[in-house]
Amino acid sequence: MDERVRRHAEVLVDKCAEVEQGDMVEVSASPVAEELVEAIYERLGEIGARPSLSWQSSRASRAYARAMDEDDYSLLEHRLAAVESTDAYIGIRGSRNIAEMNDVPPENTTAARNANEELQQAFDDLNWVGTQYPAAGNAQKAGMSIEAYEDFVYQAVDRDWDEQREFQAQMVEILDDASEVRIVSGDETDLKMSVDGMIAENDADDANMPGGEAFTAPVPDSVEGTVLFDQPRMWRGEEILDARLEFENGEVVEYTANQNEDALDEILETDDGAKRIGELGIGMNRGIDRFTYNMLFDEKMGDTVHLALGRAYEESVGSDCERNVSSIHVDMITDMSEDSFIEVDGEVVQRNGMFVFEDGFEE
């Protein structure tokens, strides 16, 4: 077994999910990730945890979703009961065909998501982590050979996470004390938002692996201005290009996209909360140095900012603040490597991808 796979398993079990002896652990994975599942089970055995395994099948999920009637979706109560008896969850992505779900009716996808909001909340209450196995379908979408994609994945995952956390903590401290954030990039993006009372979080080796971002939530009705998301966003197999959104009083009032604007419309029309921003994230993992059509990696890419339409994470919302509620959380990315800056309370804290706490930062 590749030693990088064993190190991947160890960081998932020990650092991300923080599994202890006797914990009930669910592992959910694509069959293509069997090697990583084997390594995880080995580590869980060494600890003395109690695992269960569920295999994911995109073909089965597609068949079910295409056969279902939109009005027949309801909460998966047996699944909820299992999750409520679980201490930790490790989810592993990996695709033979990333387009398998492309022809599922969008109204069914939305109905399933809405019906299982309680289940999603139960997952959020666990020690959980999601990760990526370097599978052939993902490598193909990224335009890379299997070997090159494996190197890319492990470059992002196999890091000194204590050092990465300390690096990100400097941005977290800035955001945690902030009242207003302004994001400017080129001629198309100039967006302001209040983060007063919100909580900044350090995503290093926690719920996502790879980690690599500092994030918070804006006050829902405070977002003003325009933003161009110059990195693609995949939505149900459709590639949204150059999405441009205009905000007033926190809500999207106008929007365009150079490709698949109907997919952007579908996102925004999911529910009322989908027209508002639930997350501001700043990518800080410089082990991720290219766009790969995989948001688990792309949103952490160094020299980027991402904003999520929809649900705000509960942990980033202050106790006296309003939380944006939605059944979706859709991250979209803007490159900040050139002709760009982030301003916090009137002070520039990042310019052209370089942070104020790094050598070489220019005012």
Side-chain angles (χ1 to χ4, degrees), residues 289-303:
D289 56 5
R290 60 181 290 172
F291 186 85
T292 60
Y293 292 93
N294 185 333
M295 194 56 68
L296 180 64
F297 293 82
D298 297 338
E299 69 172 0
K300 319 292 179 17
M301 184 165 48
D303 308 341

Side-chain angles (χ1 to χ4, degrees), residues 119-131:
L119 179 58
Q120 180 59 55
Q121 182 58 55
F123 271 111
D124 290 345
D125 292 339
L126 300 178
N127 284 348
W128 66 270
V129 58
T131 195

Side-chain angles (χ1 to χ4, degrees), residues 11-20 23-27 44 83 85-91 120-130 205-208:
V11 75
L12 291 171
V13 172
D14 297 350
K15 285 185 168 291
C16 300
E18 298 181 325
V19 176
E20 298 179 353
D23 278 354
M24 303 296 174
V25 183
E26 179 180 349
V27 181
L44 292 173
V83 171
S85 300
T86 299
D87 299 304
Y89 172 86
I90 301 172
Q120 180 59 55
Q121 182 58 55
F123 271 111
D124 290 345
D125 292 339
L126 300 178
N127 284 348
W128 66 270
V129 58
D205 50 9
D206 302 303
N208 293 305

Side-chain angles (χ1 to χ4, degrees), residues 241-255:
L241 292 180
D242 294 326
R244 182 184 181 277
L245 278 61
E246 182 176 347
F247 290 85
E248 291 181 4
N249 299 318
E251 189 167 289
V252 175
V253 293
E254 289 188 22
Y255 60 90

Side-chain angles (χ1 to χ4, degrees), residues 19-61:
V19 176
E20 298 179 353
Q21 184 178 10
D23 278 354
M24 303 296 174
V25 183
E26 179 180 349
V27 181
S28 178
S30 166
V32 299
E34 186 173 13
E35 182 182 39
L36 179 55
V37 172
E38 178 187 351
I40 288 170
Y41 259 58
E42 182 178 60
R43 182 61 187 145
L44 292 173
E46 291 169 351
I47 291 172
R50 304 298 302 279
S52 66
L53 176 62
S54 59
W55 293 114
Q56 305 163 4
S57 170
S58 56
R59 291 181 65 182
S61 296

Side-chain angles (χ1 to χ4, degrees), residues 34-190:
E34 186 173 13
E35 182 182 39
L36 179 55
V37 172
E38 178 187 351
I40 288 170
Y41 259 58
E42 182 178 60
R43 182 61 187 145
L44 292 173
E46 291 169 351
I47 291 172
R50 304 298 302 279
S52 66
L53 176 62
S54 59
W55 293 114
Q56 305 163 4
S57 170
S58 56
R59 291 181 65 182
S61 296
R62 172 185 178 273
Y64 177 78
R66 284 173 59 85
M68 272 290 282
D69 186 283
E70 176 187 358
D71 296 328
D72 289 342
Y73 281 96
S74 61
L75 176 65
L76 297 171
E77 295 183 9
H78 65 304
R79 187 81 179 91
L80 177 62
V83 171
E84 288 176 340
S85 300
T86 299
D87 299 304
Y89 172 86
I90 301 172
I92 307 167
R93 308 174 188 178
S95 299
R96 291 190 178 98
N97 175 14
I98 67 167
E100 191 67 53
M101 301 291 288
N102 283 12
D103 55 359
V104 171
E107 58 270 18
N108 284 21
T109 303
T110 300
R113 187 183 299 116
N114 290 340
N116 287 288
E117 284 190 52
E118 186 177 350
L119 179 58
Q120 180 59 55
Q121 182 58 55
F123 271 111
D124 290 345
D125 292 339
L126 300 178
N127 284 348
W128 66 270
V129 58
T131 195
Q132 177 71 48
Y133 183 79
N138 304 99
Q140 185 175 34
K141 184 60 183 176
M144 303 170 73
S145 68
I146 293 290
E147 183 178 357
Y149 189 64
E150 287 176 346
D151 290 343
F152 167 81
V153 168
Y154 292 121
Q155 177 177 278
V157 167
D158 195 6
R159 303 180 67 77
D160 183 333
W161 287 106
D162 291 335
E163 181 179 298
Q164 183 72 31
R165 179 174 290 279
E166 289 178 9
F167 174 60
Q168 293 173 188
Q170 298 171 92
M171 191 65 217
V172 170
E173 184 177 356
I174 290 171
L175 288 175
D176 219 23
D177 294 335
S179 294
E180 183 180 81
V181 177
R182 181 186 179 200
I183 301 164
V184 177
S185 182
D187 298 326
E188 297 282 351
T189 296
D190 192 341

Side-chain angles (χ1 to χ4, degrees), residues 133-331:
Y133 183 79
N138 304 99
Q140 185 175 34
K141 184 60 183 176
M144 303 170 73
S145 68
I146 293 290
E147 183 178 357
Y149 189 64
E150 287 176 346
D151 290 343
F152 167 81
V153 168
Y154 292 121
Q155 177 177 278
V157 167
D158 195 6
R159 303 180 67 77
D160 183 333
W161 287 106
D162 291 335
E163 181 179 298
Q164 183 72 31
R165 179 174 290 279
E166 289 178 9
F167 174 60
Q168 293 173 188
Q170 298 171 92
M171 191 65 217
V172 170
E173 184 177 356
I174 290 171
L175 288 175
D176 219 23
D177 294 335
S179 294
E180 183 180 81
V181 177
R182 181 186 179 200
I183 301 164
V184 177
S185 182
D187 298 326
E188 297 282 351
T189 296
D190 192 341
L191 200 67
K192 289 183 179 180
M193 64 194 73
S194 171
V195 294
D196 191 28
M198 295 301 190
I199 301 166
E201 294 287 341
N202 190 343
D203 177 17
D205 50 9
D206 302 303
N208 293 305
M209 181 49 59
E213 65 171 297
F215 69 93
T216 189
V219 176
D221 63 359
S222 72
V223 183
E224 297 279 347
T226 59
V227 57
L228 172 68
F229 296 111
D230 53 17
Q231 301 298 301
R233 169 71 210 205
M234 298 299 295
W235 182 253
R236 294 197 333 99
E238 295 185 295
E239 186 175 2
I240 303 170
L241 292 180
D242 294 326
R244 182 184 181 277
L245 278 61
E246 182 176 347
F247 290 85
E248 291 181 4
N249 299 318
E251 189 167 289
V252 175
V253 293
E254 289 188 22
Y255 60 90
T256 61
N258 288 349
Q259 180 174 300
N260 289 319
E261 188 174 302
D262 58 335
L264 179 59
D265 178 75
E266 181 186 319
I267 293 169
L268 293 168
E269 294 302 321
T270 301
D271 50 40
D272 289 342
K275 295 183 177 68
R276 297 179 181 270
I277 297 296
E279 179 195 2
L280 161 65
I282 300 171
M284 300 182 70
N285 185 339
R286 292 194 173 125
I288 304 171
D289 56 5
R290 60 181 290 172
F291 186 85
T292 60
Y293 292 93
N294 185 333
M295 194 56 68
L296 180 64
F297 293 82
D298 297 338
E299 69 172 0
K300 319 292 179 17
M301 184 165 48
D303 308 341
T304 63
V305 159
H306 60 274
L307 302 169
L309 293 167
R311 183 177 67 254
Y313 294 126
E314 189 171 355
E315 65 266 28
S316 59
V317 179
S319 58
D320 296 327
C321 298
E322 179 186 356
R323 179 189 178 196
N324 195 49
V325 177
S326 174
S327 65
I328 64 167
H329 180 96
V330 180
D331 295 295

